[in-house]
Amino acid sequence: MKLFDYAKADSAEAAVREGADRDTKFIAGGTNLLDLMKLQVETPARLVDISRLPLNDIEEIEGGGVRIGALVPNSDLAADPIIRERYEVLSRALLAGASGQLRNKASTGGNLLQRTRCYYFYETAARCNKRVPGSGCDAQEGFNRILAILGTSEHCIATHPSDMAVAMRALDATIVTLGSDGERRRIPIGDFYRLPGDTPDVENVLRVGELITHVELPPAPAGRQTYRKVRDRASYAFALVSVAGIVAIEDGKISSAQLAFGGLGPMPWRDSAVENALIGRAPSDALFGEAADLLLRDAKGFGSNDFKIPLTRRTLIATLRELTA
Amino acid sequence: MHFTINGQPHQAEVDIRTTLLDLLREHLSLTGSKKGCDHGQCGACTVLVNGRRINSCLTLAVMHQDDEIVTIEGLGTPEKLHPLQAAFVKHDGFQCGYCTPGQICSAVGMLDEVEKGWPSHVSATLDDPDFTDDEIRERMSGNLCRCSAYPNIVDAIREVADAKQPAQAEAAE
């Protein structure tokens, strides 16, 4: 690990003042950041410890939604009575991720900012445009079983690893931040992440020193919720494909559908064309197949991840069957 | 830096990069907590911080100066074993023993989570799930055992869980 300076923030305002520097990182749970610092994939000159800031509450807000403090650990969020009762997809997604120990430490804000688990991002001897911009991408011709089939560019095929963020994408969460200039921003999660394009090192729209303070969920959506995750072992593994689904039925027809996908792209993936194709139609395997074909119309495999295309098709169909049974 | 470990105050002068695991092992001679992968993948370093199980390899010592830290050394002694330690011996819940301190600290934290009613990935219902053996396997998936003593580890944890919560044991049968 490279040497760094350490400062402990006693307020969010102090944290963003301390953090207003490109080589400074906030640390909360640290489960991903320290892992990467040990490998010298991350080499911040300074860490600002935000772990003791009072951002630990889950509270109901006016209009029926919920506000989640950025430091709420993943375990507590999954177990919260309101989340369990009204946002089952979020509880389920959290419980499908990592291990008990990691969920106890990992924070809500940090989970949103997890880095990819692409092997070539982790391996400092490999070329990686995300780690060293302009160096190239060894993943495309390499072992890319776990990597993306949607939203890739010639510069990067990494996936976003979070389960939690996939559920939040389906739920239309809003990310609330505090900037180093004191400005508060409310960023819909659909606008938060960026496609890799030719700058895969830039993963989201946060500015230097900007701190995630909360995540807000709108009132619980109508219908049934589920999170289906397919992975290489039964527990404690990242998704090959996952689906966060919320579907409501009225008079035998699908009246609303919110579907987000993990393991497929550089960000929690959502495609309104897929949802629109379902709405107003009676559930059937033929319809679900049509929706899957739409989702995968631009899908591109890179060899060892080609299997994700038919796997995604089957996983979406199975999820929709479950939600409409 | 000042720490409270197993109820005792400790002081150490350490590099800012020191993880909680390295503090315990290299500076305070508490070598019960083990270094397996050093990347949060194996669980051998599991300790309890304010009663919650975490991977001590993935956190900085400096961030835990105000916390109550409990390691395997604080759970029991050779003369007076913790119930989980006794159950691991009785059920032969290990072979080489390297993962065992982490397994036991993890199981202590896990049983507390169960008592609080926390669900898991395999819970059929998020509300008050039954504590089946599948629940033990899922909830302990962050602790690897390369000797593969898993069936006996499950038996050991099951025995302690049933002794703790007889009502729930009946419900799971």
Side-chain angles (χ1 to χ4, degrees):
Chain A
M1 210 185 289
K2 287 267 169 75
L3 195 57
F4 53 85
D5 288 331
Y6 169 86
K8 193 169 178 176
D10 53 15
S11 71
E13 289 70 23
V16 293
R17 273 199 306 276
E18 297 265 6
D21 177 278
R22 198 164 284 282
D23 290 329
T24 297
K25 289 253 176 204
F26 298 122
I27 185 165
T31 51
N32 190 207
L33 180 57
L34 288 169
D35 186 23
L36 293 168
M37 285 171 66
K38 288 182 182 189
L39 299 166
Q40 298 192 15
V41 173
E42 295 270 18
T43 53
R46 210 153 71 105
L47 290 183
V48 175
D49 179 356
I50 57 166
S51 63
R52 304 299 155 128
L53 299 185
L55 297 171
N56 264 313
D57 293 329
I58 302 169
E59 51 196 349
E60 297 188 67
I61 51 178
E62 216 173 304
V66 173
R67 180 184 293 125
I68 303 158
L71 294 175
V72 173
N74 290 176
S75 301
D76 299 63
L77 186 56
D80 182 80
I82 299 173
I83 303 299
R84 275 197 257 179
E85 193 193 320
R86 299 185 211 161
Y87 303 96
E88 176 167 1
V89 64
L90 179 55
S91 264
R92 290 284 181 192
L94 284 157
L95 294 171
S99 66
Q101 291 97 313
L102 288 168
R103 290 192 295 271
N104 275 338
K105 200 82 176 70
S107 68
T108 303
N111 191 321
L112 288 169
L113 300 178
Q114 277 189 82
R115 310 298 306 274
T116 184
R117 263 50 174 202
C118 175
Y119 314 125
Y120 301 92
F121 175 69
Y122 266 75
E123 173 50 67
T124 52
R127 297 181 305 154
C128 171
N129 287 320
K130 192 184 274 300
R131 180 167 33 76
V132 182
S135 63
C137 171
D138 279 336
Q140 297 183 33
E141 310 243 306
F143 294 95
N144 46 47
R145 176 177 174 77
I146 62 169
L147 299 177
I149 56 170
L150 290 169
T152 58
S153 76
E154 59 181 300
H155 303 284
C156 185
I157 62 169
T159 45
H160 194 274
S162 174
D163 292 294
M164 181 196 81
V166 176
M168 287 182 172
R169 181 74 183 90
L171 287 164
D172 286 314
T174 298
I175 295 162
V176 184
T177 69
L178 183 65
S180 56
D181 53 2
E183 186 198 347
R184 285 211 165 268
R185 286 209 291 165
R186 300 174 49 82
I187 308 166
I189 191 168
D191 299 334
F192 183 74
Y193 294 105
R194 290 174 39 132
L195 288 172
D198 56 7
T199 54
D201 53 314
V202 185
E203 296 175 352
N204 56 58
V205 300
L206 286 180
R207 298 164 184 158
V208 172
E210 192 170 8
L211 176 71
I212 298 175
T213 58
H214 300 87
V215 174
E216 289 182 6
L217 302 179
R224 285 157 73 169
Q225 306 181 13
T226 195
Y227 189 76
R228 182 180 287 252
K229 178 173 178 177
V230 182
R231 44 186 159 173
D232 275 330
R233 57 186 184 203
S235 184
Y236 201 13
F238 290 95
L240 293 169
V241 177
S242 70
V243 186
I246 308 162
V247 173
I249 297 193
E250 276 175 40
D251 301 329
K253 289 181 179 162
I254 294 171
S255 54
S256 67
Q258 294 166 239
L259 299 166
F261 301 84
L264 301 186
M267 57 174 73
W269 199 258
R270 194 160 166 190
D271 185 335
S272 56
V274 177
E275 298 171 11
N276 292 337
L278 293 167
I279 293 168
R281 315 258 310 262
S284 72
D285 277 3
L287 176 65
F288 302 158
E290 221 179 281
D293 291 340
L294 260 177
L295 171 71
L296 294 163
R297 62 194 181 278
D298 297 323
K300 180 179 180 228
F302 293 86
S304 43
N305 71 349
D306 291 348
F307 75 99
K308 280 195 178 185
I309 297 173
L311 178 63
T312 302
R313 192 170 198 282
R314 291 196 299 273
T315 306
L316 176 57
I317 292 171
T319 307
L320 290 171
R321 276 184 193 153
E322 179 192 338
L323 287 169
T324 58
Chain B
M1 298 184 203
H2 302 263
F3 303 94
T4 308
I5 300 164
N6 301 325
Q8 302 293 314
H10 288 268
Q11 246 182 322
E13 295 269 333
V14 299
D15 186 295
I16 196 75
R17 292 169 285 190
T18 308
T19 61
L20 179 55
L21 176 62
D22 286 341
L23 171 82
L24 295 169
R25 291 183 55 82
E26 309 296 333
H27 298 275
L28 303 179
S29 300
L30 291 166
T31 53
S33 307
K34 296 293 187 273
K35 184 179 282 194
C37 68
D38 210 24
H39 285 278
Q41 297 170 5
C42 75
C45 67
T46 304
V47 300
L48 299 160
V49 172
N50 301 329
R52 297 164 67 111
R53 54 178 173 156
I54 67 162
N55 301 109
S56 63
C57 75
L58 279 189
T59 193
L60 294 171
V62 66
M63 296 174 75
H64 293 285
Q65 295 187 82
D66 302 321
D67 293 328
E68 296 281 340
I69 297 155
V70 173
T71 68
I72 190 71
E73 290 92 343
L75 284 178
T77 64
E79 294 72 37
K80 193 171 184 303
L81 296 178
H82 183 279
L84 273 161
Q85 290 174 317
F88 268 66
V89 172
K90 176 180 165 189
H91 290 278
D92 210 8
F94 51 86
Q95 186 174 316
C96 80
Y98 195 79
C99 72
T100 313
Q103 297 276 2
I104 290 175
C105 285
S106 185
V108 170
M110 184 273 284
L111 291 177
D112 183 54
E113 293 163 10
V114 170
E115 220 162 288
K116 286 190 281 191
W118 288 9
S120 86
H121 172 63
V122 299
S123 303
T125 156
L126 291 180
D127 188 32
D128 199 19
D130 289 339
F131 190 54
T132 60
D133 284 356
D134 272 352
E135 289 277 358
I136 297 179
R137 285 186 276 268
E138 161 62 25
R139 290 168 191 263
M140 292 296 292
S141 72
N143 291 85
L144 305 189
C145 172
R146 292 302 298 270
C147 307
S148 210
Y150 297 115
N152 298 355
I153 292 171
V154 172
D155 289 348
I157 294 172
R158 164 60 59 198
E159 178 172 293
V160 175
D162 288 354
K164 254 178 123 168
Q165 301 215 321
Q168 213 171 21
E170 278 165 36
E173 273 162 19

